[in-house]
Amino acid sequence: MKQFVVIGLGRFGCICGNNEKGDHFGKCDGTQRFWGPLTTTTLPTTTGNWYLTGNVTLTTEKTIDTSADINIDLNGKTVTMNVAAEKTSALITNNGTLTIKDRNSAKNGKITLTATNNRGWSAYSSVISNTVGGKLIVENGTIEHLGGTDMAYA
């Protein structure tokens, strides 16, 4: 019998994403991952398994390290950023491995970006920009660009 266990400020969760208490037989390979809580002001850029404890409003772009392997559980929360689009920009520039999931039962977690200045075709903005060698895995959740510029990419 595998159990969901709460320890200190973090939590353990079955790798299958089933975070219910009780028997996970047939739903999980038995591997456990420690999930650490994220604050409401930042996102991780180095290796780890993280879950959102509240909505996150970013004021600066985040770049994920080349060697990073990051798992983010949106946990039903929203990550947002407004960008002036004065230059080409991305909410997240992924150079490593980034996995996005939402283990909340409602599956309503989101990552959203809004451009606040339309530069026409002079600059673009993207929610997640995957570089050469970067690997993005989206298991569930929503990634959306809410527009505001002619060149907007999710």
Side-chain angles (χ1 to χ4, degrees), residues 83 85 87-89 113 115 117-127 145 147-154:
V83 63
K87 60 180 178 62
T88 295
S89 59
L113 178 68
N117 180 20
N118 188 355
R119 291 281 313 250
W121 295 98
S122 300
Y124 73 84
S125 59
S126 62
V127 180
H145 197 303
T149 186
D150 291 338
M151 294 197 314
Y153 304 97

Side-chain angles (χ1 to χ4, degrees), residues 34-52:
F34 178 78
W35 292 84
L38 283 175
T39 69
T40 57
T41 59
T42 191
L43 287 179
T45 57
T46 57
T47 295
N49 306 300
W50 309 97
Y51 68 94
L52 272 61

Side-chain angles (χ1 to χ4, degrees), residues 69-85:
D69 185 358
I70 298 173
N71 292 284
I72 297 177
D73 176 0
L74 296 173
N75 195 29
K77 309 297 189 245
T78 301
V79 177
T80 59
M81 185 170 138
N82 292 329
V83 63

